[in-house]
mmCIF file of all heavy atoms in Angstrom:
data_model
loop_
_atom_site.group_PDB
_atom_site.id
_atom_site.type_symbol
_atom_site.label_atom_id
_atom_site.label_comp_id
_atom_site.label_asym_id
_atom_site.label_seq_id
_atom_site.Cartn_x
_atom_site.Cartn_y
_atom_site.Cartn_z
ATOM 1 N N LEU A 1 0.816 -1.221 0.000
ATOM 2 C CA LEU A 1 0.000 0.000 0.000
ATOM 3 C C LEU A 1 0.848 1.269 0.000
ATOM 4 O O LEU A 1 0.303 2.375 -0.010
ATOM 5 C CB LEU A 1 -0.912 0.008 1.227
ATOM 6 C CG LEU A 1 -1.984 -1.082 1.283
ATOM 7 C CD1 LEU A 1 -2.672 -1.086 2.640
ATOM 8 C CD2 LEU A 1 -3.005 -0.892 0.167
ATOM 9 N N GLY A 2 2.167 1.099 0.022
ATOM 10 C CA GLY A 2 3.052 2.266 0.051
ATOM 11 C C GLY A 2 3.094 2.953 1.398
ATOM 12 O O GLY A 2 3.459 4.130 1.481
ATOM 13 N N LEU A 3 2.746 2.234 2.466
ATOM 14 C CA LEU A 3 2.661 2.838 3.794
ATOM 15 C C LEU A 3 3.688 2.285 4.780
ATOM 16 O O LEU A 3 3.652 2.633 5.964
ATOM 17 C CB LEU A 3 1.253 2.622 4.370
ATOM 18 C CG LEU A 3 0.104 3.276 3.590
ATOM 19 C CD1 LEU A 3 -1.234 2.846 4.176
ATOM 20 C CD2 LEU A 3 0.237 4.793 3.608
ATOM 21 N N LYS A 4 4.574 1.437 4.309
ATOM 22 C CA LYS A 4 5.543 0.812 5.214
ATOM 23 C C LYS A 4 6.419 1.860 5.901
ATOM 24 O O LYS A 4 6.603 1.830 7.123
ATOM 25 C CB LYS A 4 6.410 -0.175 4.450
ATOM 26 C CG LYS A 4 7.484 -0.826 5.302
ATOM 27 C CD LYS A 4 8.339 -1.785 4.484
ATOM 28 C CE LYS A 4 9.495 -2.328 5.309
ATOM 29 N NZ LYS A 4 10.333 -3.267 4.522
ATOM 30 N N ASP A 5 6.961 2.792 5.143
ATOM 31 C CA ASP A 5 7.848 3.804 5.719
ATOM 32 C C ASP A 5 7.097 4.723 6.675
ATOM 33 O O ASP A 5 7.648 5.150 7.696
ATOM 34 C CB ASP A 5 8.509 4.617 4.612
ATOM 35 C CG ASP A 5 9.500 3.793 3.804
ATOM 36 O OD1 ASP A 5 9.932 2.739 4.305
ATOM 37 O OD2 ASP A 5 9.822 4.184 2.660
ATOM 38 N N LYS A 6 5.852 5.035 6.345
ATOM 39 C CA LYS A 6 5.050 5.908 7.207
ATOM 40 C C LYS A 6 4.909 5.303 8.605
ATOM 41 O O LYS A 6 5.131 5.980 9.612
ATOM 42 C CB LYS A 6 3.664 6.126 6.600
ATOM 43 C CG LYS A 6 2.706 6.910 7.492
ATOM 44 C CD LYS A 6 1.334 7.001 6.844
ATOM 45 C CE LYS A 6 0.375 7.821 7.695
ATOM 46 N NZ LYS A 6 0.127 7.219 9.030
ATOM 47 N N TYR A 7 4.552 4.037 8.666
ATOM 48 C CA TYR A 7 4.348 3.411 9.964
ATOM 49 C C TYR A 7 5.657 3.041 10.643
ATOM 50 O O TYR A 7 5.697 2.878 11.862
ATOM 51 C CB TYR A 7 3.450 2.176 9.819
ATOM 52 C CG TYR A 7 1.993 2.548 9.685
ATOM 53 C CD1 TYR A 7 1.382 2.629 8.441
ATOM 54 C CD2 TYR A 7 1.226 2.848 10.810
ATOM 55 C CE1 TYR A 7 0.043 2.983 8.312
ATOM 56 C CE2 TYR A 7 -0.112 3.210 10.696
ATOM 57 C CZ TYR A 7 -0.695 3.275 9.442
ATOM 58 O OH TYR A 7 -2.006 3.640 9.323
ATOM 59 N N ALA A 8 6.738 2.915 9.870
ATOM 60 C CA ALA A 8 8.045 2.629 10.467
ATOM 61 C C ALA A 8 8.511 3.773 11.355
ATOM 62 O O ALA A 8 9.285 3.573 12.292
ATOM 63 C CB ALA A 8 9.072 2.356 9.371
ATOM 64 N N GLU A 9 8.027 4.972 11.055
ATOM 65 C CA GLU A 9 8.443 6.154 11.801
ATOM 66 C C GLU A 9 7.554 6.428 13.011
ATOM 67 O O GLU A 9 7.842 7.331 13.801
ATOM 68 C CB GLU A 9 8.417 7.378 10.870
ATOM 69 C CG GLU A 9 9.394 7.272 9.699
ATOM 70 C CD GLU A 9 9.213 8.385 8.700
ATOM 71 O OE1 GLU A 9 8.277 9.196 8.888
ATOM 72 O OE2 GLU A 9 9.983 8.444 7.731
ATOM 73 N N GLU A 10 6.477 5.676 13.161
ATOM 74 C CA GLU A 10 5.544 5.919 14.253
ATOM 75 C C GLU A 10 5.770 4.925 15.388
ATOM 76 O O GLU A 10 6.277 3.823 15.189
ATOM 77 C CB GLU A 10 4.101 5.811 13.745
ATOM 78 C CG GLU A 10 3.744 6.867 12.705
ATOM 79 C CD GLU A 10 2.277 6.829 12.334
ATOM 80 O OE1 GLU A 10 1.546 6.000 12.936
ATOM 81 O OE2 GLU A 10 1.869 7.605 11.467
ATOM 82 N N ASN A 11 5.385 5.325 16.562
ATOM 83 C CA ASN A 11 5.442 4.421 17.705
ATOM 84 C C ASN A 11 4.289 3.426 17.619
ATOM 85 O O ASN A 11 3.158 3.786 17.283
ATOM 86 C CB ASN A 11 5.349 5.199 19.023
ATOM 87 C CG ASN A 11 6.564 6.070 19.257
ATOM 88 O OD1 ASN A 11 7.674 5.702 18.900
ATOM 89 N ND2 ASN A 11 6.346 7.225 19.862
ATOM 90 N N ALA A 12 4.620 2.184 17.898
ATOM 91 C CA ALA A 12 3.595 1.144 17.820
ATOM 92 C C ALA A 12 2.615 1.268 18.975
ATOM 93 O O ALA A 12 3.012 1.372 20.131
ATOM 94 C CB ALA A 12 4.250 -0.229 17.840
ATOM 95 N N VAL A 13 1.340 1.298 18.636
ATOM 96 C CA VAL A 13 0.292 1.296 19.652
ATOM 97 C C VAL A 13 -0.557 0.058 19.379
ATOM 98 O O VAL A 13 -1.606 0.134 18.742
ATOM 99 C CB VAL A 13 -0.565 2.572 19.590
ATOM 100 C CG1 VAL A 13 -1.606 2.567 20.722
ATOM 101 C CG2 VAL A 13 0.304 3.820 19.676
ATOM 102 N N CYS A 14 -0.075 -1.064 19.831
ATOM 103 C CA CYS A 14 -0.745 -2.323 19.522
ATOM 104 C C CYS A 14 -1.865 -2.612 20.511
ATOM 105 O O CYS A 14 -1.715 -2.384 21.715
ATOM 106 C CB CYS A 14 0.257 -3.470 19.509
ATOM 107 S SG CYS A 14 1.192 -3.556 17.968
ATOM 108 N N ARG A 15 -2.945 -3.122 19.994
ATOM 109 C CA ARG A 15 -4.081 -3.492 20.824
ATOM 110 C C ARG A 15 -4.029 -4.970 21.207
ATOM 111 O O ARG A 15 -4.931 -5.469 21.875
ATOM 112 C CB ARG A 15 -5.377 -3.224 20.061
ATOM 113 C CG ARG A 15 -5.488 -1.829 19.486
ATOM 114 C CD ARG A 15 -6.705 -1.736 18.558
ATOM 115 N NE ARG A 15 -6.838 -0.432 17.944
ATOM 116 C CZ ARG A 15 -6.209 -0.069 16.835
ATOM 117 N NH1 ARG A 15 -5.375 -0.916 16.257
ATOM 118 N NH2 ARG A 15 -6.383 1.119 16.312
ATOM 119 N N TYR A 16 -3.011 -5.669 20.736
ATOM 120 C CA TYR A 16 -2.949 -7.110 20.929
ATOM 121 C C TYR A 16 -2.156 -7.472 22.178
ATOM 122 O O TYR A 16 -1.090 -6.908 22.440
ATOM 123 C CB TYR A 16 -2.326 -7.771 19.691
ATOM 124 C CG TYR A 16 -3.079 -7.455 18.425
ATOM 125 C CD1 TYR A 16 -2.590 -6.534 17.509
ATOM 126 C CD2 TYR A 16 -4.296 -8.073 18.145
ATOM 127 C CE1 TYR A 16 -3.278 -6.230 16.350
ATOM 128 C CE2 TYR A 16 -5.002 -7.778 16.991
ATOM 129 C CZ TYR A 16 -4.491 -6.854 16.098
ATOM 130 O OH TYR A 16 -5.182 -6.558 14.954
ATOM 131 N N THR A 17 -2.667 -8.434 22.900
ATOM 132 C CA THR A 17 -2.048 -8.806 24.169
ATOM 133 C C THR A 17 -0.713 -9.518 23.984
ATOM 134 O O THR A 17 0.073 -9.593 24.938
ATOM 135 C CB THR A 17 -2.999 -9.727 24.958
ATOM 136 O OG1 THR A 17 -3.303 -10.894 24.163
ATOM 137 C CG2 THR A 17 -4.292 -9.002 25.284
ATOM 138 N N ASP A 18 -0.450 -10.047 22.796
ATOM 139 C CA ASP A 18 0.777 -10.815 22.575
ATOM 140 C C ASP A 18 1.767 -10.093 21.654
ATOM 141 O O ASP A 18 2.685 -10.715 21.125
ATOM 142 C CB ASP A 18 0.449 -12.200 22.014
ATOM 143 C CG ASP A 18 -0.328 -12.142 20.698
ATOM 144 O OD1 ASP A 18 -0.825 -11.045 20.347
ATOM 145 O OD2 ASP A 18 -0.439 -13.179 20.034
ATOM 146 N N VAL A 19 1.574 -8.786 21.441
ATOM 147 C CA VAL A 19 2.506 -8.007 20.609
ATOM 148 C C VAL A 19 3.075 -6.877 21.458
ATOM 149 O O VAL A 19 2.422 -5.861 21.693
ATOM 150 C CB VAL A 19 1.827 -7.431 19.353
ATOM 151 C CG1 VAL A 19 2.840 -6.645 18.511
ATOM 152 C CG2 VAL A 19 1.212 -8.547 18.513
ATOM 153 N N ALA A 20 4.300 -7.052 21.908
ATOM 154 C CA ALA A 20 4.966 -6.017 22.703
ATOM 155 C C ALA A 20 5.453 -4.899 21.791
ATOM 156 O O ALA A 20 5.734 -5.135 20.606
ATOM 157 C CB ALA A 20 6.151 -6.619 23.466
ATOM 158 N N PRO A 21 5.569 -3.661 22.297
ATOM 159 C CA PRO A 21 6.031 -2.542 21.459
ATOM 160 C C PRO A 21 7.395 -2.785 20.826
ATOM 161 O O PRO A 21 7.678 -2.247 19.753
ATOM 162 C CB PRO A 21 6.075 -1.370 22.443
ATOM 163 C CG PRO A 21 5.098 -1.735 23.508
ATOM 164 C CD PRO A 21 5.186 -3.221 23.646
ATOM 165 N N GLU A 22 8.235 -3.599 21.468
ATOM 166 C CA GLU A 22 9.578 -3.840 20.928
ATOM 167 C C GLU A 22 9.613 -4.987 19.922
ATOM 168 O O GLU A 22 10.694 -5.326 19.407
ATOM 169 C CB GLU A 22 10.562 -4.126 22.053
ATOM 170 C CG GLU A 22 10.236 -5.333 22.911
ATOM 171 C CD GLU A 22 9.331 -5.010 24.093
ATOM 172 O OE1 GLU A 22 8.705 -3.927 24.082
ATOM 173 O OE2 GLU A 22 9.246 -5.844 25.021
ATOM 174 N N HIS A 23 8.484 -5.619 19.653
ATOM 175 C CA HIS A 23 8.464 -6.699 18.648
ATOM 176 C C HIS A 23 8.893 -6.130 17.295
ATOM 177 O O HIS A 23 8.494 -5.015 16.934
ATOM 178 C CB HIS A 23 7.065 -7.300 18.531
ATOM 179 C CG HIS A 23 7.021 -8.560 17.729
ATOM 180 N ND1 HIS A 23 7.025 -8.565 16.350
ATOM 181 C CD2 HIS A 23 6.990 -9.866 18.123
ATOM 182 C CE1 HIS A 23 6.978 -9.818 15.915
ATOM 183 N NE2 HIS A 23 6.960 -10.624 16.975
ATOM 184 N N PRO A 24 9.706 -6.852 16.526
ATOM 185 C CA PRO A 24 10.232 -6.296 15.265
ATOM 186 C C PRO A 24 9.169 -5.888 14.251
ATOM 187 O O PRO A 24 9.431 -5.041 13.392
ATOM 188 C CB PRO A 24 11.111 -7.430 14.713
ATOM 189 C CG PRO A 24 10.719 -8.655 15.469
ATOM 190 C CD PRO A 24 10.270 -8.182 16.815
ATOM 191 N N TYR A 25 7.969 -6.463 14.346
ATOM 192 C CA TYR A 25 6.906 -6.106 13.399
ATOM 193 C C TYR A 25 5.786 -5.302 14.057
ATOM 194 O O TYR A 25 4.735 -5.094 13.449
ATOM 195 C CB TYR A 25 6.326 -7.370 12.755
ATOM 196 C CG TYR A 25 7.299 -8.095 11.867
ATOM 197 C CD1 TYR A 25 7.851 -9.312 12.252
ATOM 198 C CD2 TYR A 25 7.686 -7.559 10.639
ATOM 199 C CE1 TYR A 25 8.757 -9.985 11.438
ATOM 200 C CE2 TYR A 25 8.586 -8.225 9.818
ATOM 201 C CZ TYR A 25 9.117 -9.435 10.224
ATOM 202 O OH TYR A 25 10.013 -10.096 9.409
ATOM 203 N N ALA A 26 5.997 -4.836 15.279
ATOM 204 C CA ALA A 26 4.924 -4.185 16.034
ATOM 205 C C ALA A 26 4.336 -2.987 15.304
ATOM 206 O O ALA A 26 3.121 -2.790 15.286
ATOM 207 C CB ALA A 26 5.441 -3.765 17.414
ATOM 208 N N ARG A 27 5.183 -2.144 14.702
ATOM 209 C CA ARG A 27 4.687 -0.929 14.031
ATOM 210 C C ARG A 27 3.771 -1.277 12.861
ATOM 211 O O ARG A 27 2.740 -0.643 12.642
ATOM 212 C CB ARG A 27 5.861 -0.081 13.561
ATOM 213 C CG ARG A 27 6.633 0.595 14.683
ATOM 214 C CD ARG A 27 7.810 1.397 14.145
ATOM 215 N NE ARG A 27 8.470 2.170 15.192
ATOM 216 C CZ ARG A 27 9.389 1.675 16.024
ATOM 217 N NH1 ARG A 27 9.754 0.401 15.899
ATOM 218 N NH2 ARG A 27 9.935 2.431 16.958
ATOM 219 N N TRP A 28 4.154 -2.289 12.103
ATOM 220 C CA TRP A 28 3.370 -2.650 10.925
ATOM 221 C C TRP A 28 2.111 -3.423 11.309
ATOM 222 O O TRP A 28 1.083 -3.292 10.647
ATOM 223 C CB TRP A 28 4.242 -3.420 9.945
ATOM 224 C CG TRP A 28 5.368 -2.553 9.461
ATOM 225 C CD1 TRP A 28 5.263 -1.404 8.714
ATOM 226 C CD2 TRP A 28 6.760 -2.698 9.727
ATOM 227 N NE1 TRP A 28 6.504 -0.850 8.489
ATOM 228 C CE2 TRP A 28 7.442 -1.623 9.100
ATOM 229 C CE3 TRP A 28 7.507 -3.642 10.426
ATOM 230 C CZ2 TRP A 28 8.820 -1.471 9.157
ATOM 231 C CZ3 TRP A 28 8.884 -3.493 10.492
ATOM 232 C CH2 TRP A 28 9.530 -2.415 9.856
ATOM 233 N N ILE A 29 2.181 -4.192 12.379
ATOM 234 C CA ILE A 29 0.974 -4.849 12.881
ATOM 235 C C ILE A 29 -0.030 -3.797 13.337
ATOM 236 O O ILE A 29 -1.228 -3.877 13.040
ATOM 237 C CB ILE A 29 1.330 -5.807 14.031
ATOM 238 C CG1 ILE A 29 2.156 -6.986 13.500
ATOM 239 C CG2 ILE A 29 0.071 -6.302 14.729
ATOM 240 C CD1 ILE A 29 2.731 -7.872 14.590
ATOM 241 N N SER A 30 0.472 -2.778 14.039
ATOM 242 C CA SER A 30 -0.390 -1.686 14.490
ATOM 243 C C SER A 30 -1.016 -0.962 13.306
ATOM 244 O O SER A 30 -2.215 -0.670 13.302
ATOM 245 C CB SER A 30 0.429 -0.705 15.339
ATOM 246 O OG SER A 30 -0.349 0.401 15.731
ATOM 247 N N GLY A 31 -0.202 -0.687 12.281
ATOM 248 C CA GLY A 31 -0.713 0.002 11.093
ATOM 249 C C GLY A 31 -1.743 -0.820 10.346
ATOM 250 O O GLY A 31 -2.771 -0.289 9.906
ATOM 251 N N ALA A 32 -1.490 -2.121 10.198
ATOM 252 C CA ALA A 32 -2.442 -2.978 9.499
ATOM 253 C C ALA A 32 -3.762 -3.060 10.252
ATOM 254 O O ALA A 32 -4.840 -3.087 9.642
ATOM 255 C CB ALA A 32 -1.839 -4.373 9.318
ATOM 256 N N ALA A 33 -3.695 -3.075 11.580
ATOM 257 C CA ALA A 33 -4.915 -3.087 12.376
ATOM 258 C C ALA A 33 -5.672 -1.770 12.212
ATOM 259 O O ALA A 33 -6.901 -1.755 12.102
ATOM 260 C CB ALA A 33 -4.581 -3.339 13.843
ATOM 261 N N ASP A 34 -4.940 -0.656 12.170
ATOM 262 C CA ASP A 34 -5.577 0.656 11.977
ATOM 263 C C ASP A 34 -6.347 0.701 10.657
ATOM 264 O O ASP A 34 -7.388 1.361 10.556
ATOM 265 C CB ASP A 34 -4.523 1.765 11.982
ATOM 266 C CG ASP A 34 -3.970 2.030 13.372
ATOM 267 O OD1 ASP A 34 -4.581 1.566 14.353
ATOM 268 O OD2 ASP A 34 -2.915 2.694 13.471
ATOM 269 N N LEU A 35 -5.831 0.012 9.655
ATOM 270 C CA LEU A 35 -6.449 0.017 8.327
ATOM 271 C C LEU A 35 -7.539 -1.037 8.167
ATOM 272 O O LEU A 35 -8.120 -1.172 7.093
ATOM 273 C CB LEU A 35 -5.369 -0.196 7.256
ATOM 274 C CG LEU A 35 -4.315 0.919 7.169
ATOM 275 C CD1 LEU A 35 -3.198 0.508 6.216
ATOM 276 C CD2 LEU A 35 -4.947 2.231 6.718
ATOM 277 N N GLY A 36 -7.816 -1.775 9.231
ATOM 278 C CA GLY A 36 -8.898 -2.743 9.197
ATOM 279 C C GLY A 36 -8.558 -4.075 8.571
ATOM 280 O O GLY A 36 -9.460 -4.856 8.250
ATOM 281 N N MET A 37 -7.266 -4.362 8.399
ATOM 282 C CA MET A 37 -6.884 -5.637 7.787
ATOM 283 C C MET A 37 -7.065 -6.808 8.734
ATOM 284 O O MET A 37 -7.276 -7.936 8.306
ATOM 285 C CB MET A 37 -5.423 -5.574 7.332
ATOM 286 C CG MET A 37 -5.165 -4.602 6.217
ATOM 287 S SD MET A 37 -3.430 -4.665 5.710
ATOM 288 C CE MET A 37 -3.378 -3.263 4.585
ATOM 289 N N PHE A 38 -6.941 -6.537 10.030
ATOM 290 C CA PHE A 38 -7.056 -7.586 11.034
ATOM 291 C C PHE A 38 -8.028 -7.135 12.122
ATOM 292 O O PHE A 38 -8.224 -5.945 12.334
ATOM 293 C CB PHE A 38 -5.690 -7.877 11.681
ATOM 294 C CG PHE A 38 -4.626 -8.297 10.711
ATOM 295 C CD1 PHE A 38 -3.650 -7.396 10.303
ATOM 296 C CD2 PHE A 38 -4.590 -9.588 10.209
ATOM 297 C CE1 PHE A 38 -2.667 -7.776 9.413
ATOM 298 C CE2 PHE A 38 -3.609 -9.972 9.311
ATOM 299 C CZ PHE A 38 -2.640 -9.064 8.908
ATOM 300 N N ASP A 39 -8.616 -8.110 12.800
ATOM 301 C CA ASP A 39 -9.452 -7.786 13.951
ATOM 302 C C ASP A 39 -8.590 -7.062 14.985
ATOM 303 O O ASP A 39 -7.511 -7.548 15.348
ATOM 304 C CB ASP A 39 -10.033 -9.058 14.566
ATOM 305 C CG ASP A 39 -11.005 -9.759 13.620
ATOM 306 O OD1 ASP A 39 -11.592 -9.055 12.778
ATOM 307 O OD2 ASP A 39 -11.146 -10.985 13.711
ATOM 308 N N PRO A 40 -9.037 -5.903 15.485
ATOM 309 C CA PRO A 40 -8.167 -5.037 16.283
ATOM 310 C C PRO A 40 -8.114 -5.343 17.769
ATOM 311 O O PRO A 40 -7.901 -4.449 18.581
ATOM 312 C CB PRO A 40 -8.788 -3.658 16.046
ATOM 313 C CG PRO A 40 -10.246 -3.949 15.891
ATOM 314 C CD PRO A 40 -10.339 -5.286 15.202
ATOM 315 N N ALA A 41 -8.314 -6.584 18.163
ATOM 316 C CA ALA A 41 -8.283 -6.888 19.594
ATOM 317 C C ALA A 41 -7.922 -8.353 19.796
ATOM 318 O O ALA A 41 -7.928 -9.140 18.863
ATOM 319 C CB ALA A 41 -9.637 -6.577 20.228
ATOM 320 N N GLY A 42 -7.602 -8.680 21.047
ATOM 321 C CA GLY A 42 -7.280 -10.057 21.372
ATOM 322 C C GLY A 42 -5.822 -10.386 21.098
ATOM 323 O O GLY A 42 -4.930 -9.558 21.310
ATOM 324 N N GLU A 43 -5.573 -11.587 20.607
ATOM 325 C CA GLU A 43 -4.222 -12.024 20.271
ATOM 326 C C GLU A 43 -3.998 -11.954 18.764
ATOM 327 O O GLU A 43 -4.899 -12.222 17.984
ATOM 328 C CB GLU A 43 -3.983 -13.458 20.758
ATOM 329 C CG GLU A 43 -3.974 -13.600 22.269
ATOM 330 C CD GLU A 43 -3.605 -15.006 22.699
ATOM 331 O OE1 GLU A 43 -3.592 -15.910 21.839
ATOM 332 O OE2 GLU A 43 -3.336 -15.200 23.894
ATOM 333 N N PHE A 44 -2.762 -11.611 18.395
ATOM 334 C CA PHE A 44 -2.422 -11.526 16.979
ATOM 335 C C PHE A 44 -1.612 -12.734 16.504
ATOM 336 O O PHE A 44 -1.647 -13.082 15.350
ATOM 337 C CB PHE A 44 -1.619 -10.250 16.708
ATOM 338 C CG PHE A 44 -1.357 -10.021 15.237
ATOM 339 C CD1 PHE A 44 -2.331 -9.458 14.424
ATOM 340 C CD2 PHE A 44 -0.146 -10.390 14.667
ATOM 341 C CE1 PHE A 44 -2.101 -9.263 13.066
ATOM 342 C CE2 PHE A 44 0.102 -10.194 13.310
ATOM 343 C CZ PHE A 44 -0.890 -9.622 12.519
ATOM 344 N N ARG A 45 -0.866 -13.363 17.388
ATOM 345 C CA ARG A 45 0.018 -14.489 17.067
ATOM 346 C C ARG A 45 1.042 -14.088 16.000
ATOM 347 O O ARG A 45 1.105 -14.671 14.924
ATOM 348 C CB ARG A 45 -0.790 -15.703 16.609
ATOM 349 C CG ARG A 45 -1.956 -16.061 17.513
ATOM 350 C CD ARG A 45 -2.646 -17.355 17.142
ATOM 351 N NE ARG A 45 -2.874 -17.532 15.733
ATOM 352 C CZ ARG A 45 -3.895 -17.007 15.068
ATOM 353 N NH1 ARG A 45 -4.783 -16.239 15.697
ATOM 354 N NH2 ARG A 45 -4.045 -17.226 13.787
ATOM 355 N N PRO A 46 1.870 -13.081 16.270
ATOM 356 C CA PRO A 46 2.749 -12.506 15.245
ATOM 357 C C PRO A 46 3.820 -13.464 14.727
ATOM 358 O O PRO A 46 4.288 -13.308 13.597
ATOM 359 C CB PRO A 46 3.396 -11.323 15.966
ATOM 360 C CG PRO A 46 3.367 -11.697 17.414
ATOM 361 C CD PRO A 46 2.073 -12.443 17.587
ATOM 362 N N ASP A 47 4.199 -14.450 15.541
ATOM 363 C CA ASP A 47 5.280 -15.344 15.136
ATOM 364 C C ASP A 47 4.790 -16.664 14.569
ATOM 365 O O ASP A 47 5.595 -17.530 14.224
ATOM 366 C CB ASP A 47 6.211 -15.599 16.327
ATOM 367 C CG ASP A 47 6.819 -14.307 16.851
ATOM 368 O OD1 ASP A 47 7.254 -13.480 16.030
ATOM 369 O OD2 ASP A 47 6.838 -14.108 18.086
ATOM 370 N N GLU A 48 3.475 -16.813 14.454
ATOM 371 C CA GLU A 48 2.931 -18.016 13.823
ATOM 372 C C GLU A 48 2.924 -17.846 12.315
ATOM 373 O O GLU A 48 2.805 -16.733 11.796
ATOM 374 C CB GLU A 48 1.509 -18.282 14.316
ATOM 375 C CG GLU A 48 1.437 -18.762 15.744
ATOM 376 C CD GLU A 48 0.037 -19.184 16.132
ATOM 377 O OE1 GLU A 48 -0.825 -19.332 15.224
ATOM 378 O OE2 GLU A 48 -0.208 -19.364 17.334
#
């Protein structure tokens, strides 16, 4: 979507209980949730 760099510069505000702010993909998981790609609550299972 051309938004990777935009979210790379933002602080991750994850709604998921299993995604810590320091997770390597936290910023992009947060951005994808903001855009409605994933259900924005509960567990995300980022490493599965």
Side-chain angles (χ1 to χ4, degrees):
L1 295 171
L3 297 173
K4 178 181 174 180
D5 292 341
K6 174 184 182 298
Y7 282 97
E9 297 172 356
E10 296 186 2
N11 293 325
V13 183
C14 280
R15 308 171 182 85
Y16 303 104
T17 58
D18 58 347
V19 181
E22 60 271 16
H23 191 280
Y25 294 108
R27 289 179 174 83
W28 297 296
I29 292 171
S30 177
D34 287 345
L35 296 172
M37 294 183 188
F38 302 102
D39 294 333
E43 293 185 347
F44 186 81
R45 311 187 317 278
D47 300 316
E48 288 187 13

